[in-house]
Amino acid sequence: MSKKSFFRQRVGNMEQLAGLREVVVNSGRGRDVRLVEVDNGSGLTFTVMADRCCDIYSAKYMNKSLAWLTPNGIINPNAYEPEGAMWLRSWAGGLLTTAGLLNVGTPDAGHGLHGRASSLAAEDLKLERLWQDDEYILSVGGVMRHTMAFGEKLEVRRTISTAYGKNIIKVSDTVENQGFAPAPLMMLYHCNFGYPTVDENGYLEAVEHKLEPKDEAAAAGIDSWNKLSAPIHDYAEEVFFHTIPADADGLSRISIVNPDANLRVTMAYNSATLPYLNQWKQMGEGEYVIGLEPGNCVPIGQSGNAARGDLKMIEPGETVKFDFQIEISEIK
């Protein structure tokens, strides 16, 4: 008997087991932000911010938080401040923040920290609940336009999906240059993991690979790049650039393992278009987070990537696809 037939016999509506719910924030700085709450029915829940690039805010597995959240909370994208590092004033953190599309990292070339992608509201929001290959799929899709008169004309089509009984969040983007001139294309998926997924006695795990420190602070801590600690007062952040070979399925992987919480959280990404895994290690008080950030660049700004020969361009009419997934499991 197929799964579909099995459940049709036992429930009148799959919402009984797994579902999507649209809500709107009605107070505070996040007023009017559209959210989609996702429950895959097997312990995984997360919230998609439709008005923030369909990024993911909170996420839990078996009631254990996966994501690190900033003190800002959810803020309406109209509060975005593009100057310098003021991006930080409206940044929610969360399981996923999109950085780009013209700048990632250091404010540079007239662009602020991490660009404006995360402030773009989704158009054509689409929710789907359907059986596919005998799996019950829940998906949230939207279209974001990164455009300017006499400037770039980039469109991002995003789908975020999960399945009943499978604790995997999949993110798939297609970026199209709808203009008539080449444009820089910098994409970084700023995925932020916090307590209790991140805690002392935890560690990062990956196959042997190339590792590069961003700066002197990271170089000083390179021997302990994979070790987590208790929160440290006045901790100086460390950033590492990883180039990890792909597994047989074409995905490169790096995991956070926390034996105390019985959790393994794995970032798996298509390194054909996302060649770097940027690791943000911040063991500070309150700012206690590990960022696992697949990208087609490193977070040193547009000119910094150009100097390295890493600045990607997207030609008129060209489309580029990016895919990654977050896999959650219990340690046996």
Side-chain angles (χ1 to χ4, degrees):
M1 178 184 296
S2 70
K3 289 183 182 178
K4 182 177 180 180
S5 297
F6 178 89
F7 288 116
R8 283 187 65 192
Q9 291 179 348
R10 287 163 173 79
V11 300
N13 185 332
M14 279 299 289
E15 189 80 18
Q16 181 175 329
L17 302 179
L20 306 171
R21 180 176 290 111
E22 294 182 79
V23 299
V24 178
V25 179
N26 66 4
S27 65
R29 293 186 293 174
R31 186 178 179 89
D32 296 330
V33 172
R34 297 169 297 161
L35 307 176
V36 181
E37 297 177 342
V38 184
D39 181 347
N40 85 336
S42 51
L44 177 63
T45 62
F46 57 95
T47 300
V48 177
M49 300 183 290
D51 288 316
R52 303 293 313 228
C53 200
C54 286
D55 285 341
I56 300 173
Y57 184 57
S58 58
K60 292 184 178 181
Y61 175 68
M62 304 300 288
N63 288 321
K64 297 175 183 176
S65 180
L66 303 174
W68 174 74
L69 308 180
T70 76
N72 300 328
I74 296 172
I75 293 182
N76 192 293
N78 293 332
Y80 170 62
E81 300 176 51
E83 300 81 13
M86 297 300 283
W87 178 88
L88 295 169
R89 288 204 175 273
S90 59
W91 180 39
L95 192 68
L96 167 62
T97 298
T98 306
L101 298 171
L102 300 184
N103 192 64
V104 167
T106 310
D108 183 42
H111 304 286
L113 176 69
H114 285 321
R116 62 178 61 247
S118 67
S119 69
L120 302 176
E123 303 173 13
D124 301 329
L125 187 66
K126 182 178 182 181
L127 279 60
E128 287 193 310
R129 311 159 179 87
L130 73 160
W131 286 97
Q132 188 176 82
D133 298 328
D134 211 29
E135 297 287 350
Y136 189 65
I137 306 296
L138 304 168
S139 71
V140 181
V143 180
M144 282 68 65
R145 293 190 297 155
H146 194 300
T147 59
M148 177 181 177
F150 307 105
E152 79 283 354
K153 297 171 180 62
L154 304 177
E155 179 184 88
V156 181
R157 291 184 173 269
R158 170 167 294 177
T159 301
I160 297 176
S161 63
T162 187
Y164 176 73
K166 291 191 174 180
N167 291 313
I168 298 175
I169 301 171
K170 295 183 178 182
V171 179
S172 179
D173 283 349
T174 299
V175 182
E176 181 181 3
N177 183 352
Q178 297 182 338
F180 298 91
L185 177 57
M186 303 182 71
M187 180 67 87
L188 181 139
Y189 296 99
H190 206 300
C191 297
N192 311 284
F193 300 91
Y195 177 85
T197 301
V198 171
D199 203 3
E200 58 185 317
N201 300 324
Y203 56 93
L204 274 66
E205 186 175 80
V207 298
E208 187 174 348
H209 62 276
K210 179 183 177 182
L211 174 64
E212 177 185 357
K214 176 186 176 184
D215 51 26
E216 292 182 2
I222 198 166
D223 290 340
S224 58
W225 70 267
N226 62 333
K227 296 180 176 63
L228 308 184
S229 68
I232 298 171
H233 184 66
D234 283 341
Y235 186 88
E237 69 175 19
E238 299 171 357
V239 177
F240 304 97
F241 310 146
H242 300 256
T243 305
I244 302 174
D247 294 334
D249 62 359
L251 299 178
S252 298
R253 286 179 168 82
I254 185 169
S255 300
I256 300 173
V257 182
N258 185 344
D260 293 342
N262 295 320
L263 275 180
R264 173 185 293 271
V265 179
T266 299
M267 170 64 68
Y269 59 98
N270 184 348
S271 52
T273 53
L274 297 167
Y276 293 106
L277 188 288
N278 301 283
Q279 176 201 349
W280 176 41
K281 183 180 180 182
Q282 174 52 269
M283 299 282 95
E285 296 170 310
E287 277 80 35
Y288 186 65
V289 52
I290 289 292
L292 299 180
E293 308 165 3
N296 72 343
C297 57
V298 295
I300 57 174
Q302 192 180 112
S303 61
N305 278 271
R308 286 171 56 100
D310 283 336
L311 180 62
K312 305 296 190 297
M313 303 293 292
I314 183 168
E315 297 298 321
E318 184 182 2
T319 60
V320 180
K321 294 185 178 182
F322 300 106
D323 298 278
F324 75 93
Q325 61 191 45
I326 296 171
E327 306 165 349
I328 306 102
S329 61
E330 294 177 282
I331 299 172
K332 303 299 183 182

